[in-house]
Amino acid sequence: GAVVSQHPSRVICKSGTSVKIECRSLDFQATTMFWYRQFPKQSLMLMATSNEGSKATYEQGVEKDKFLINHASLTLSTLTVTSAHPEDSSFYICSARDSYSSYEQYFGPGTRLTVT
Amino acid sequence: LAKTTQPISMDSYEGQEVNITCSHNNIATNDYITWYQQFPSQGPRFIIQGYKTKVTNEVASLFIPADRKSSTLSLPRVSLSDTAVYYCLVGDEAPNNDMRFGAGTRLTVKP
């Protein structure tokens, strides 16, 4: 089946630094990818929709200058958390929609970000 | 997008059948219903998807009544490893149609 990978799986960074998380669709093309954030014991919260070759669409309340999204190819989207703070510590999950079967959505394994 | 409502939690015992119902009163004509399973610190895993009536695969069945305002995920003979959070989502085939998660149902299977 379709596979979505994320890298790194976990990262620890110091407050004020930036962290980049990669999301790749390994065996299919994804025009659209989604980024979610999940805090402990809570549901996934959609942060933004990433479209290949165009600007991302951010959900209300999500700072686009803080969470930079780049979707430069049909198999790669990146999320950069800029000037990270401890409150940004969370589980970040991406998902990708198969361009040829658009209602099928595949999720990555997630990235655990800890900001100290 | 149609909003979904599920029970917050459910308990069951090994070997029992578990049915989790999801309400989606505002489901649109083009919307599909998809169920995901999530274990702690992992991404959601696809379980089953349907549009109407009944769908069955190797792990679950999905029952959708004629009005499609609800759906029921049925897990036959659950085991301890089925302890997880289960989410139902509704959405259409539009490429940029985002999938927004509700609160989900936390299923606990006891020995």
Side-chain angles (χ1 to χ4, degrees):
Chain A
V3 177
V4 173
S5 70
Q6 282 185 240
H7 178 79
S9 58
R10 62 176 60 234
V11 57
I12 301 172
C13 71
K14 292 187 176 181
S15 186
T17 62
S18 295
V19 174
K20 180 184 286 188
I21 302 171
E22 293 186 348
C23 177
R24 293 181 184 272
S25 57
L26 298 186
D27 48 4
F28 66 98
Q29 294 184 331
T31 305
T32 305
M33 292 185 175
F34 305 96
W35 287 95
Y36 297 84
R37 180 168 52 182
Q38 186 175 34
F39 293 107
K41 302 290 186 182
Q42 294 186 24
S43 182
L44 287 76
M45 185 191 77
L46 180 66
M47 298 176 66
T49 301
S50 169
N51 299 298
E52 187 268 335
S54 64
K55 292 184 178 181
T57 303
Y58 290 83
E59 293 300 299
Q60 190 172 8
V62 177
E63 301 176 57
K64 62 180 181 181
D65 294 329
K66 181 172 182 61
F67 298 98
L68 302 179
I69 292 173
N70 182 275
H71 193 158
S73 76
L74 287 173
T75 60
L76 174 64
S77 176
T78 61
L79 168 68
T80 300
V81 183
T82 63
S83 187
H85 291 287
E87 56 265 31
D88 297 324
S89 297
S90 189
F91 192 53
Y92 291 86
I93 304 170
C94 73
S95 69
R97 227 178 237 281
D98 188 328
S99 297
Y100 295 98
S101 180
S102 58
Y103 55 86
E104 296 190 37
Q105 188 169 359
Y106 305 97
F107 287 84
T111 296
R112 173 75 59 192
L113 170 63
T114 303
V115 184
T116 61
Chain B
L1 289 176
K3 182 179 178 180
T4 60
T5 304
Q6 302 174 232
I8 294 176
S9 64
M10 294 181 69
D11 290 342
S12 183
Y13 291 92
E14 283 189 291
Q16 289 187 333
E17 177 185 77
V18 172
N19 296 308
I20 306 174
T21 298
C22 179
S23 297
H24 27 80
N25 292 319
N26 297 322
I27 190 169
T29 302
N30 294 332
D31 285 344
Y32 285 78
I33 301 159
T34 311
W35 284 80
Y36 291 89
Q37 175 192 57
Q38 187 184 29
F39 297 112
S41 297
Q42 294 186 27
R45 183 176 75 97
F46 173 89
I47 300 175
I48 197 166
Q49 183 180 72
Y51 183 80
K52 62 180 180 180
T53 63
K54 177 183 176 181
V55 180
T56 298
N57 62 22
E58 61 275 11
V59 297
S61 294
L62 178 60
F63 299 91
I64 306 169
D67 65 5
R68 303 201 326 124
K69 293 183 182 298
S70 66
S71 59
T72 299
L73 173 71
S74 181
L75 305 173
R77 297 180 298 282
V78 294
S79 63
L80 296 176
S81 62
D82 292 317
T83 294
V85 179
Y86 292 82
Y87 296 96
C88 83
L89 283 78
V90 294
D92 64 23
E93 297 183 13
N96 62 348
N97 184 14
D98 56 76
M99 300 288 269
R100 297 168 188 267
F101 284 74
T105 298
R106 186 174 297 275
L107 172 66
T108 302
V109 180
K110 303 175 182 179

